[in-house]
Each structure stands twice: as structure tokens, then as C-alpha cells.
Amino acid sequence: MKVKAVIIILLLIPLFLPGAAAQSPIVIKALADKVSGNPGDVVKIPFQLVNLGNTNVSNITVYVTGPSVGFLYETKVIPGPIKPNESVTGIITVQISNLNPVSPGDYTLKLVAQSNTSYSETEVTLHVGTYVNFDLSIDVGKRYIYGNNVTALLKITSRSNGVVIGRIGYTLYLNDTVLQSVETVIFLRPGESWYKTLNLRKPAVGHYTLRLWANFGGHSKSTTADFLVYQRRLNYLAYFENGAIHVVVTDKNGNGVGGITVKVARAGSGKSSILVTAPDGTATYPVETAGLYQLTINLDGKVVVDVITVRQLALDVSQNGKELWVRVRGPEKPVPNITVTVSGPLGKNYAVTNSSGEAVIDLTSVGYGSLLISAESTQYLSTHTTFNAIPPVTSTPSPTPTSSTPQPKPNITLSPASPRKSGQSGVGHLGLLLIISAVILAGTSYVAFFMPTVHEEELDRHYFVKVRSPHLRGLKNFRYERGISAVEAKATKGKVSINDGRVVWEIKNLEPGEEAYLQIRLG
């Protein structure tokens, strides 16, 4: 009975014992406890696999684990089979990144071997050393026009995994001659940059070379950049036309040059405007006010100053019966060949000034009343004014003197008629017929055919005189003289003078039927 109890107890003992874990048949060992490398290196880790089981093992995966940032780990498969008590060696790699440099120091990695549900692991130490690397750059253009500033940006960026200390410097050459040379000591943290902005104010014409160099921890690098400062041979033309100042800049071949700065300032205004020529070399500045305009033009560093005079037309307007007299000045002397436009109740009419700057408009074509008179020219600022035209009276009244003192009658001198030669028949039948017809038609027709007519009229502050030669013969050595308070007198033909309060008008010759006008501005 006792024997049976002992047997039962022995059979129950395993039920109360703790369970034992299954051991992997594959064991991995690192053949080097410590490996080393720098950022950018690929580090090799040798290992050994041993099969401690009693069956073959196939398809074993070997991989490395460690810090997730700054390292790239390899995974490899050992296809096998590995027989019991057999070992296999291999190499697995770890790459140390140089894009985000890992700080120097020791890092613990794990080598893992896994087969089905079982695995084995071991540790290895990776030492990351100090890594020195950096980038150099120079940011500057290739070509600059003389007269402009040049800016160059120098930059050094650390790609090291620790603080680096070293010497840096730059040198500027002009046609192989040293202009500047600078050297200093700096330190940079990982990823930090050093900057230097080099400003060259209007450098001279020539070929430039800029060299940047650095030496950190015995590692040296340098870079260079070349640029050219040049000057073009430019010409310019500046003029006023059609209400604007025009500037044209061309090169030696006559091609337009854009990007040229033009400063425009009107004298006395205290203000200025900046223009830049278009790609065709032109710049336009509209003008509304007469005066002197100073142009400052930067021709590739050669600064030229020019002055443009802008004048505005002036108008003197008066009425002589059915005619409107317009005198155009610019502004001091008369201006010929100017188009004058008169707009009235009945429409528009045009005239062009003669050599004396005068134009005559028939008022019957535009109507009487308020008139708008304008004058335009490509070389002057246009102008306009208004004038109230009064319909003339049907009869011809005697001129009213401008002062209380009675005005003497004008002295009019005419050339004597040419004597008839012997054998001539005098007036003849034709003359008699003309005289008879003139008497029948109008009592004054005789004067129109054989005698000059003089018509005088005063309007506002103006006094007008019109002379017409006979229809059948011309008029020679005509002289008109009147004592009158005049400040100005002008005529469409002949010579006019004002002396001692008298106006004298002399005409050497008038063709048959030709008319001439005298305009006097009263004081």
C-alpha cells in the first residue's frame, strides 16, 4: 500500500513543477565587440551563427537594431540549411548618415537572428568619430553694366557632426591685381552657416575674380566666381514734340537700349520723375506746363545733363467786321505755319498763320457770339481762348475817337494817275459803258472801279483800316496817316510805324482789286 502511494506521488510531482521555456536552436555571436566609423561611412559588423539543435535550420533572418535617426541598417537572409552543431559566419552593415550628421560617441546596437518563432540576439558597440565637412558658395552675377553697384554673397555651411574651428578668407582680384584680401578665424556648429555680403559701389570696368577659402581641422576647400563690369558706347536724343519730352537711347549700332535711367525735373518745381527706357530705347514724359526741364541720363555710368525748353503758344484775337484776326505768338515772337481752329455756333473753320503769325477767319462760316479759338503745334504746347464776336452794323459809321480830343482826319496820299500818251482815246466806249452801268447800279461803283476805297472802324480797344485798290488799275505809293493813341499797329501788307502819337502806314504797290488791312491797338 505504501509503495502505491509513493508511485502516485512521483507521478504527480511534474504537475507542480514550473514549465521550462523552449531554447532557440540558433545562436548569434558578434565577432567584434566594437566597430568604428564616421558620418558617410558604411561600417561592417562580422557575426557567427551556431545551430545548437538536433535538426537542420533554414531561412534564418539576421538584422541590426539601434537608434532610429542617423543610421541605415541592413537586413539579410541566410538560406541555410545549417546542420546541428554546425556554424556559419557572415557580415552585416550599418551606414552612418552624413545628411543629418550623428554626434560623435558610442552607440549600442543589437544583432538579431530569427528563425520561425525563435530568435537570438547579441550587442555590439558602434563608435562614431568626429567628422569634418563643409560647403562653400559665392552668389554673384556674371555681367554688370558700369555705373551700377555689385553685390556678392559669400557663404560657408558646416556639414560636420560637431563644432569645428578654422580659418576662412576671401580675395578680390581686378584683372589679376588684388583689390581686397580678408582672413579671420570662426567656429561653426553642425548645420550652421557663415555669411558675408560684399558690396562693391560702382566698380571700375574690368574682369573680376572672387575667391573664397576655408580650413577646418586640416580639411581645406576653396571656390571662385568671375564677373565682368563693362561699359557700352551709348548715344541719346532728347526733344519736345506733340506735348511730351522724348528720349531715345541707342548703342553704337543704332539699336535701342532699354533699362537706361532718365531723371526729369522742371526748373523751380522742386519735384522730379524717374523714367526707364523701354526695350526699344525710348522714354516719354508728358508735359502740361511750359518751362525749362532738366534731363539727367545715366549712360552706363556716364551721366549727362540736358535742358529742354518747352514753350506754349499765346493768342491775340480781334475782330474786323466779318473777319476774325488771330495772331499766334510763341510766346515772344510770331509763329508762322500754325493751325488755328475757330469753333462757333455754325461750326468750325481753320486757317494757317502766315509769316507774321497771323490768320484770318471768315466769321460768316462759324457764326457770331461766343467763339472757341485754339492753336496747335508739334513744337509748342497748344493753347485756346474764347472770344465774343459781334455782328457788324449794316452801315459804316465814322470811327469814334478814343479820347475827348477831336481826332484829325487821316492824311491819305495816293500816286497820281499816269498821263495819257498822244494818240490814246481816253476812257473809250468801254469806260463810258462802265460808268453808265455804275451810275445805274450803285452810286459808289465808280469809286470801286477807278478810285481806291478806304474803310475805317473802331471796335473795343482796336481800330481797323481797310484799303482796296481800284478794280481797273493798281495802287502805288499809298500812305495813310492818323494821329491816334496807339500802343501797337500791324498790317497785312506794307510798313507801319508809330511816332509822336501818329500812325503811318505805307504801301508801295497794291494789285488791281487787292485789299490790305491795318490793325491798331489803342492805348
Side-chain angles (χ1 to χ4, degrees), residues 35-38 41-45 92-96 126-127:
V35 291
S36 299
N38 294 323
D41 292 345
V42 176
V43 181
K44 297 179 180 180
I45 303 176
I92 195 166
T93 62
V94 177
Q95 183 177 1
I96 306 174
L126 172 59
H127 176 76

Side-chain angles (χ1 to χ4, degrees), residues 33-167:
D33 295 334
K34 190 173 185 178
V35 291
S36 299
N38 294 323
D41 292 345
V42 176
V43 181
K44 297 179 180 180
I45 303 176
F47 64 88
Q48 182 183 51
L49 295 176
V50 180
N51 185 0
L52 299 179
N54 55 7
T55 60
N56 294 340
V57 180
S58 301
N59 298 323
I60 304 168
T61 302
V62 178
Y63 58 91
V64 183
T65 64
S68 59
V69 178
F71 299 94
L72 297 175
Y73 304 107
E74 181 186 15
T75 297
K76 61 191 318 181
V77 175
I78 308 298
I82 302 177
K83 298 177 181 180
N85 299 318
E86 187 177 50
S87 65
V88 175
T89 60
I91 293 177
I92 195 166
T93 62
V94 177
Q95 183 177 1
I96 306 174
S97 174
N98 59 356
L99 298 179
N100 297 301
V102 178
S103 299
D106 292 338
Y107 296 85
T108 299
L109 308 180
K110 287 185 178 181
L111 272 66
V112 179
Q114 184 175 357
S115 174
N116 296 325
T117 60
S118 62
Y119 67 92
S120 174
E121 63 180 29
T122 188
E123 292 184 349
V124 63
T125 299
L126 172 59
H127 176 76
V128 178
T130 300
Y131 170 73
V132 177
N133 190 22
F134 51 91
D135 297 331
L136 305 176
S137 65
I138 301 175
D139 185 9
V140 67
K142 295 296 184 182
R143 293 169 61 87
Y144 293 89
I145 298 174
Y146 173 68
N148 294 289
N149 297 333
V150 175
T151 299
L153 179 62
L154 312 180
K155 182 180 179 182
I156 302 176
T157 301
S158 174
R159 302 300 181 191
S160 304
N161 63 345
V163 177
V164 292
I165 300 175
R167 301 190 68 83

Side-chain angles (χ1 to χ4, degrees), residues 27 92 289 522:
V27 176
I92 195 166
T289 306
L522 303 177

Side-chain angles (χ1 to χ4, degrees), residues 192-374:
E192 188 178 11
S193 296
W194 169 89
Y195 296 94
K196 174 65 177 179
T197 300
L198 190 61
N199 293 312
L200 305 178
R201 182 172 176 79
K202 297 182 179 180
V205 173
H207 181 271
Y208 291 79
T209 299
L210 186 57
R211 178 176 178 266
L212 175 64
W213 59 269
N215 187 318
F216 293 102
H219 294 76
S220 297
K221 287 185 180 182
S222 67
T223 186
T224 60
D226 297 324
F227 61 92
L228 178 67
V229 176
Y230 66 99
Q231 186 176 31
R232 296 168 292 185
R233 192 170 65 189
L234 303 180
N235 302 306
Y236 82 96
L237 175 65
Y239 59 94
F240 172 82
E241 186 176 76
N242 293 326
I245 293 176
H246 302 272
V247 178
V248 182
V249 180
T250 56
D251 60 17
K252 63 180 181 180
N253 298 319
N255 301 317
V257 178
I260 300 300
T261 301
V262 180
K263 180 181 178 182
V264 183
R266 184 170 65 89
S269 67
K271 299 179 180 180
S272 62
S273 299
I274 301 298
L275 308 178
V276 179
T277 58
D280 62 354
T282 62
T284 302
Y285 181 77
V287 176
E288 297 180 353
T289 306
L292 298 179
Y293 288 81
Q294 178 176 291
L295 308 181
T296 305
I297 309 172
N298 187 347
L299 301 175
D300 280 8
K302 178 183 177 182
V303 179
V304 297
V305 177
D306 201 349
V307 176
I308 301 296
T309 301
V310 178
R311 298 181 176 88
Q312 188 165 26
L313 297 173
L315 298 177
D316 298 324
V317 184
S318 61
Q319 181 180 353
N320 182 17
K322 297 181 180 181
E323 295 176 337
L324 186 71
W325 286 27
V326 181
R327 183 171 180 260
V328 181
R329 294 179 287 108
E332 299 173 353
K333 61 180 181 179
V335 183
N337 300 319
I338 298 296
T339 299
V340 176
T341 303
V342 179
S343 301
L346 300 182
K348 290 185 179 181
N349 202 351
Y350 305 88
V352 178
T353 58
N354 58 18
S355 59
S356 300
E358 297 172 343
V360 179
I361 298 290
D362 184 2
L363 288 173
T364 61
S365 63
V366 296
Y368 297 94
S370 179
L371 305 179
L372 176 63
I373 302 105
S374 60

